[in-house]
Amino acid sequence: MADPVVVKICGIKTTSILDAAIDAGADMVGFMHFTRSPRHVSIEDLATLIGEARGRVQTCVVLVNPDNSCVAEVAALGPDWIQLHGPESPHRVEAIRAEAGVEIMKAVPIGSAEDIGHVGQFTDVADRILLDAKPPKGADRPGGLGRSFDWNLLKALDPSIAFMLSGGLTPDNVADAIQLVRPFGVDVSSGVESAPGVKDKRLVEAFIRNARAQ
């Protein structure tokens, strides 16, 4: 029996959706601290959500190219993970990990075979790798923005690299993605929303159920 896939529900803004994700069996929950995102959560609300989740589920705060004061402010809240979702270099990731004292997940955008070659730079400086779709040209924020990338590109990835898969996942395609790609975990945000930033409890439940069916 393979280990069950880790399921992360990201972009949570309310305690009701947090509770729904935990009740449905999520392994990790993610909160965005990035003002340009429709899922942005303030430091005050982050503190509340992390407090509510503590001891029930692993928490992850998503930051985009944060400065040291932002890292320190978020790390002080005691999340289990900080996810770096910007253009951070391997050196910067390593510095943030040393500074924050919490586990670091690094998102690497994938859009071409060339991008696969960049993944290995981060395996020693981050505790976990997240592969996400490269944002379209001109996008004002990182991430796949609800789009998936060509999963066949991952055939060229070093098989020893464990990773979480993100980008365009939904309750309808997550089972296929797990079977095809064999990720360590899956991460969803917009794929379980009824509108940008508005999570749908039934979609969250369906996503976790379908991911667990593998």
Side-chain angles (χ1 to χ4, degrees):
M1 276 287 287
D3 289 334
V5 170
V6 169
V7 178
K8 175 170 170 264
I9 306 295
C10 202
I12 289 175
K13 293 167 65 177
T14 66
T15 51
S16 60
I17 288 295
L18 172 65
D19 290 340
I22 293 170
D23 291 345
D27 300 291
M28 301 180 75
V29 291
F31 313 115
M32 286 287 310
H33 186 58
F34 180 58
T35 51
R36 291 210 297 272
S37 171
R39 301 165 192 90
H40 172 66
V41 176
S42 69
I43 284 289
E44 293 73 24
D45 289 343
L46 270 182
T48 300
L49 289 163
I50 290 170
E52 288 281 329
R54 188 168 284 119
R56 302 165 67 202
V57 69
Q58 288 208 319
T59 54
C60 178
V61 178
V62 181
L63 303 177
V64 179
N65 215 22
D67 61 23
N68 288 349
S69 62
C70 176
V71 170
E73 193 173 28
V74 168
L77 301 177
D80 296 294
W81 294 82
I82 287 177
Q83 178 177 320
L84 299 173
H85 216 110
E88 302 90 4
S89 68
H91 179 73
R92 180 66 180 141
V93 173
E94 191 171 33
I96 289 173
R97 181 161 71 165
E99 178 82 18
V102 302
E103 292 192 284
I104 298 295
M105 189 183 312
K106 176 65 182 116
V108 183
I110 303 296
S112 68
E114 184 187 1
D115 297 323
I116 296 292
H118 296 154
V119 176
Q121 303 173 47
F122 295 100
T123 53
D124 290 337
V125 295
D127 299 287
R128 191 171 289 175
I129 301 292
L130 174 75
L131 302 182
D132 195 5
K134 206 168 203 170
K137 275 191 167 45
D140 67 347
R141 55 187 203 273
L145 309 184
R147 296 176 176 84
S148 57
F149 61 91
D150 179 0
W151 296 329
N152 287 312
L153 290 170
L154 296 177
K155 290 173 181 170
L157 185 67
D158 179 341
S160 71
I161 297 176
F163 63 91
M164 292 186 72
L165 180 69
S166 185
L169 295 177
T170 67
D172 293 334
N173 70 6
V174 66
D176 289 342
I178 291 169
Q179 284 200 314
L180 183 70
V181 176
R182 298 292 174 196
F184 169 84
V186 288
D187 179 13
V188 68
S189 187
S190 60
V192 290
E193 292 179 346
S194 55
V198 182
K199 294 283 183 286
D200 183 308
K201 179 175 181 281
R202 287 167 303 179
L203 291 176
V204 169
E205 291 167 348
F207 184 90
I208 296 171
R209 185 170 60 246
N210 294 350
R212 291 272 180 260
Q214 294 313 293

